[in-house]
Amino acid sequence: MNVIKSFSDLQNAIEEIKNNKQSLGFVPTMGALHAGHLSLVEASKERCQQTAVSVFVNPMQFGPNEDLKQYPRPLEKDLAMCEQAGVDLVFVPSVEMMYPKNFSFKIMESFFSSHLCGAYRKGYFDGICTVVMKLLHLIPCDQLFMGLKDVEQVKVIEEMIKAFHLPVEMVACPTIREKNGLAMSSRNQYLSDQQREIARHLYQALCLIKETSQSGERVVQTLLGQAENYLQAYPEIKLQYLKILHWDDFLPPEKIEKKFVVALAAFVGSTRLIDNLIIDL
Ligand code: AMP
């Protein structure tokens, strides 16, 4: 496995892949890898001849009071997991390389990122769009693998790919969960055992909406109200948002039809967790 820390080494590795006419899959991550990340690697290995992973905790997507400093960075363990998973190339840039002094550009998106996390985390999607745009230029892959756990990210990046005519195909992969239903996340390691047990009710609340909508309920307020009531039994969970959006236009409807996403963000203690379900009636 090729661990690359400089632009020149990256350029050489990419050139070799292109010269060999091999297809390239790319999995961008912030490290602290878990089975969710590895499922993206697996998907890439199934579809592409070469798989690249990036490990970069992107400061531009963290707000001033968020966990940038605290965010876990177990690089050696991450590299061992990548090696074990059969990754071909891991790109580990430094902050100084990605954002040299006086870096003054930003990719901004103002519609698809305005409903869910983007509405609560100022600058979050500017940071994501900017770093993904940079990474896609550095690692010109055929297929980009992202997790539906971050459903708003998938939508925004899909739209960015279209908007800027980027020659890459997005492959959105399903959310991998713990046995108790909790969506896997690098931030789950902030949770105590007791908090993990409580956090599983976030997924249960989403499942409740799935069941009720599949039994015929169409009114969004009723569906959301039922899940909010369910979560009220767990005062340790502080819901930040619980929303339903239609899949196609990513707008909040009064009544659901066909494919929609129900998404939430909540604090359990000081840990912010997100989850969602995509439901196709
Ligand atoms: P992150 O390191 O949190 O930026 O995540 C890197 C990629 O892994 C993103 O595309 C995430 O959506 C994806 N990912 C994170 N957690 C999961 C999960 N539980 N299941 C599937 N994909 C995930």
Side-chain angles (χ1 to χ4, degrees):
M1 186 177 76
N2 200 354
V3 180
I4 294 181
K5 297 193 173 178
S6 76
F7 289 138
S8 55
D9 287 350
L10 182 62
Q11 211 171 9
N12 291 338
I14 297 290
E15 222 169 81
E16 195 181 325
I17 293 169
K18 299 284 165 189
N19 285 343
N20 291 338
K21 301 204 180 330
Q22 288 176 305
S23 56
L24 176 60
F26 174 40
V27 181
T29 82
M30 297 209 298
L33 303 183
H34 50 66
H37 297 111
L38 296 183
S39 72
L40 306 183
V41 169
E42 214 173 292
S44 171
K45 285 183 64 68
E46 271 167 24
R47 290 161 161 258
C48 300
Q49 290 161 303
Q50 291 277 305
T51 291
V53 169
S54 64
V55 175
F56 179 62
V57 182
N58 174 32
M60 204 198 265
Q61 72 188 67
F62 285 77
N65 299 316
E66 296 182 351
D67 56 342
L68 174 62
K69 271 203 183 138
Q70 192 195 350
Y71 200 85
R73 292 166 172 83
L75 184 60
E76 289 311 312
K77 190 172 163 217
D78 287 344
L79 293 178
M81 285 171 79
C82 285
E83 176 115 55
Q84 171 82 20
V87 171
D88 300 287
L89 177 169
V90 186
F91 179 49
V92 192
S94 67
V95 173
E96 293 70 31
M97 281 165 68
M98 294 299 278
Y99 301 113
K101 214 167 155 241
N102 299 331
F103 184 85
S104 57
F105 291 86
K106 231 180 224 181
I107 304 281
M108 296 171 90
E109 198 287 327
S110 56
F111 177 76
F112 294 98
S113 59
S114 63
H115 301 295
L116 305 178
C117 294
Y120 297 85
R121 300 180 68 182
K122 205 172 163 289
Y124 176 55
F125 276 102
D126 301 350
I128 290 178
C129 288
T130 304
V131 81
V132 173
M133 182 67 97
K134 283 167 73 75
L135 288 169
L136 285 177
H137 281 96
L138 289 163
I139 303 179
C141 56
D142 301 287
Q143 301 196 330
L144 172 67
F145 294 83
M146 290 193 146
L148 283 166
K149 148 110 185 341
D150 299 275
V151 67
E152 193 180 20
Q153 172 170 279
V154 165
K155 197 76 177 179
V156 169
I157 299 299
E158 249 172 15
E159 294 297 328
M160 184 179 86
I161 288 170
K162 277 193 233 160
F164 291 95
H165 318 286
L166 303 177
V168 55
E169 183 193 343
M170 158 78 82
V171 182
C173 301
T175 301
I176 305 298
R177 299 179 178 281
E178 307 278 359
K179 274 206 196 92
N180 72 3
L182 175 65
M184 286 195 183
S185 162
S186 304
R187 290 190 168 96
N188 289 355
Q189 52 186 279
Y190 301 151
L191 300 172
S192 67
D193 289 348
Q194 195 198 0
Q195 287 174 327
R196 264 172 202 258
E197 166 55 28
I198 289 162
R200 82 185 167 88
H201 293 288
L202 295 170
Y203 178 57
Q204 293 306 321
L206 298 175
C207 289
L208 204 56
I209 290 184
K210 182 173 181 176
E211 280 160 31
T212 313
S213 62
Q214 286 177 339
S215 320
E217 180 59 61
R218 293 288 177 269
V219 178
V220 166
Q221 226 175 2
T222 309
L223 291 164
L224 295 178
Q226 186 192 23
E228 281 161 5
N229 283 344
Y230 173 85
L231 287 174
Q232 268 169 13
Y234 306 96
E236 301 86 348
I237 295 178
K238 305 275 180 268
L239 200 57
Q240 186 177 51
Y241 67 75
L242 173 66
K243 290 190 185 175
I244 284 177
L245 301 178
H246 263 154
W247 183 252
D248 290 341
D249 57 13
F250 235 50
L251 282 170
E254 283 178 16
K255 283 190 172 181
I256 48 164
E257 321 157 11
K258 290 187 284 183
K259 197 171 176 181
F260 67 96
V261 56
V262 51
L264 60 75
F267 286 90
V268 176
S270 56
T271 305
R272 186 174 178 280
L273 301 172
I274 59 169
D275 200 355
N276 71 81
L277 278 183
I278 297 166
I279 299 164
D280 208 350
L281 293 176

